[in-house]
Amino acid sequence: MTRKTTSNGAGNAVEVRGLVKHFGEVKAVDGVDLDVREGTVLGVLGPNGAGKTTLVRCLSTLLVPDAGTATVAGFDVVRQPRALRRTIGLTGQYASVDEKLSGRENLYMIGRLLDLSRKDARARADELLERFSLTEAAGRAAAKYSGGMRRRLDLAASMIGRPAVLYLDEPTTGLDPRTRNEVWDEVRSMVRDGATVLLTTQYMEEAEQLAHELTVIDRGRVIAEGEVDELKTKVGGRTLQIRPAQAAELDRMVGAIAQAGLDGIAGATADHEDGVVNVPIVSDEQLSAVVGMLGERGFTISGINTHLPSLDEVFLAITGQKTSEAADGGPQDGPRDQQDVQDKQYEEVPA
Ligand SMILES: Nc1ncnc2c1ncn2[C@@H]1O[C@H](COP(=O)(O)OP(=O)(O)OP(=O)(O)O)[C@@H](O)[C@H]1O
Ligand SMILES: [Mg+2]
């Protein structure tokens, strides 16, 4: 597969300096600096209204910034919009496919818009349908696709022109866990093929799964940035939740964990309401050690989860403040609720 290469060697595919975009009083993007290294994924993490979509729209030439500079593959967003558009792919937050057309027709049409010959557009459409497991559904109207299928069609659409740089604006918001995993696999495979990705998300877990580096934004400003592990360390890892078969064992379990003096394990607490013991951990080794020790001491365990920090907890750890929405007492419906409950079965925790 040939892929357009970016023009600035092995440096940054995206460079943003002091970018500003205001809508009247609303400072949607308020002086953002960020870099996306070529061939990597930058996760832009932020709550509703943080400015993620506005940033992506500026970087896609759909909005003209008020101030600052941004280059993508060496092209300036304001001065070289046409050249820039040829190097990028965009999967917007809201589906962009034509519902009346079939999956195949959608991809074919985009290929033709990108100046592919009829033959090449057909071949490219079929190749991407296959890759995104849509071959069987290719002849059906997109209106009849499930949410996950549409998202995959969106991703396929953004890949037609073999973009060197891809923007994925909340690619999995509203998807069920299985479909979310499928989308993640696709993103990983795009990156293996050499793409550079700027991914916006409200999900700490998504950032953790896909991003090499993270930029956390709120109210149009960068409030933290760094490698995923650095930010995770700031937040303090995961919480291991252990459910004893007998609720009456909760306190005895906490006592046993304290007494065992396992390396780095401290601060286990019993949650009588939920019937679990919470243990802060930073590694899978600690998880195994705690569970193994309890087994050896004859406790019967009926369930184990690990709980990743939510975006709200990340904010709290980084800024000492709640996210603007949580602090404003704003609505907590939709994706934010899902974010708050990021329990994973132990079996699914990656090694
Ligand atoms: N075209 C517009 N006109 C006026 N205000 C806008 C416009 N687009 C965005 N805004 C405002 O700018 C701020 C940032 O919005 P933006 O859509 O960039 O946030 P976001 O991080 O993408 O949020 P979400 O997670 O909900 O998608 C919000 O306060 C929003 O209301
Ligand atoms: Mg958005």
Side-chain angles (χ1 to χ4, degrees):
M1 179 166 160
T2 55
R3 180 173 285 285
K4 290 169 193 162
T5 50
T6 50
S7 59
N8 57 348
N12 294 324
V14 181
E15 284 190 0
V16 177
R17 294 291 175 272
L19 201 76
V20 174
K21 182 71 194 177
H22 293 178
F23 297 105
E25 298 285 285
V26 179
K27 299 174 174 176
V29 172
D30 198 24
V32 165
D33 296 337
L34 58 82
D35 293 324
V36 191
R37 279 183 297 123
E38 227 168 81
T40 69
V41 180
L42 175 75
V44 175
L45 191 66
N48 289 131
K52 302 182 295 296
T53 297
T54 306
L55 174 68
V56 167
R57 288 172 65 83
C58 288
L59 297 182
S60 319
T61 74
L62 297 171
L63 282 174
V64 180
D66 298 335
T69 59
T71 58
V72 181
F75 299 116
D76 186 278
V77 284
V78 179
R79 290 194 316 261
Q80 298 164 293
R82 291 168 115 226
L84 190 150
R85 278 198 288 269
R86 281 197 289 273
T87 70
I88 60 167
L90 168 65
T91 298
Q93 187 168 5
Y94 305 102
S96 51
V97 297
D98 185 331
E99 302 217 327
K100 292 192 290 293
L101 300 183
S102 71
R104 180 177 283 115
E105 286 164 343
N106 264 294
L107 298 186
Y108 175 78
M109 188 188 69
I110 294 166
R112 292 291 286 157
L113 288 172
L114 290 172
D115 284 340
L116 296 186
S117 70
R118 286 198 178 84
K119 183 163 163 270
D120 287 349
R122 250 192 313 271
R124 184 75 177 138
D126 283 340
E127 182 189 335
L128 288 166
L129 288 164
E130 178 74 35
R131 171 165 178 183
F132 286 86
S133 309
L134 291 168
T135 304
E136 253 176 68
R140 257 189 277 154
K144 296 192 179 139
Y145 282 18
S146 70
M149 289 162 77
R150 264 197 231 198
R151 226 52 286 245
R152 296 208 301 273
L153 185 61
D154 263 347
L155 285 174
S158 66
M159 301 270 303
I160 298 228
R162 296 191 167 85
V165 179
L166 264 166
Y167 306 133
L168 305 176
D169 193 7
E170 300 197 31
T172 68
T173 296
L175 297 185
D176 64 47
R178 189 176 61 89
T179 316
R180 178 170 296 177
N181 270 307
E182 288 172 11
V183 171
W184 288 348
D185 284 343
E186 288 306 333
V187 175
R188 288 189 193 101
S189 103
M190 294 175 193
V191 176
R192 270 198 303 277
D193 283 348
T196 302
V197 176
L198 187 152
L199 164 101
T200 77
T201 183
Q202 297 189 39
Y203 302 118
M204 183 64 186
E205 187 188 1
E206 180 154 280
E208 196 172 12
Q209 287 281 337
L210 297 178
H212 300 98
E213 290 183 56
L214 282 183
T215 293
V216 184
I217 64 171
D218 192 22
R219 301 174 196 247
R221 292 181 161 275
V222 175
I223 59 166
E225 61 192 337
E227 291 187 8
V228 175
D229 282 348
E230 281 174 52
L231 289 181
K232 257 169 56 184
T233 313
K234 275 192 195 169
V235 178
R238 290 174 286 170
T239 302
L240 167 62
Q241 292 193 320
I242 308 168
R243 186 178 301 281
Q246 310 285 336
E249 300 266 50
L250 283 172
D251 290 325
R252 232 164 53 76
M253 214 179 237
V254 169
I257 294 169
Q259 207 186 20
L262 298 169
D263 200 17
I265 298 290
T269 54
D271 179 340
H272 288 273
E273 209 167 291
D274 288 341
V276 293
V277 172
N278 289 317
V279 192
I281 56 166
V282 291
S283 70
D284 291 341
E285 287 70 29
Q286 290 182 331
L287 186 156
S288 307
V290 172
V291 173
M293 181 276 294
L294 290 171
E296 276 164 25
R297 298 198 179 189
F299 287 97
T300 309
I301 294 170
S302 71
I304 299 169
N305 284 295
T306 58
H307 170 83
L308 287 167
S310 68
L311 181 55
D312 286 333
E313 286 165 328
V314 174
F315 265 71
L316 199 60
I318 291 170
T319 64
Q321 286 175 3
K322 297 219 185 261
T323 55
S324 49
E325 191 177 76
D328 293 345
Q332 290 282 308
D333 56 356
R336 289 295 284 284
D337 273 352
Q338 294 165 25
Q339 170 66 36
D340 289 343
V341 190
Q342 283 195 339
D343 291 335
K344 292 206 294 181
Q345 291 304 310
Y346 174 35
E347 288 74 23
E348 290 175 15
V349 174

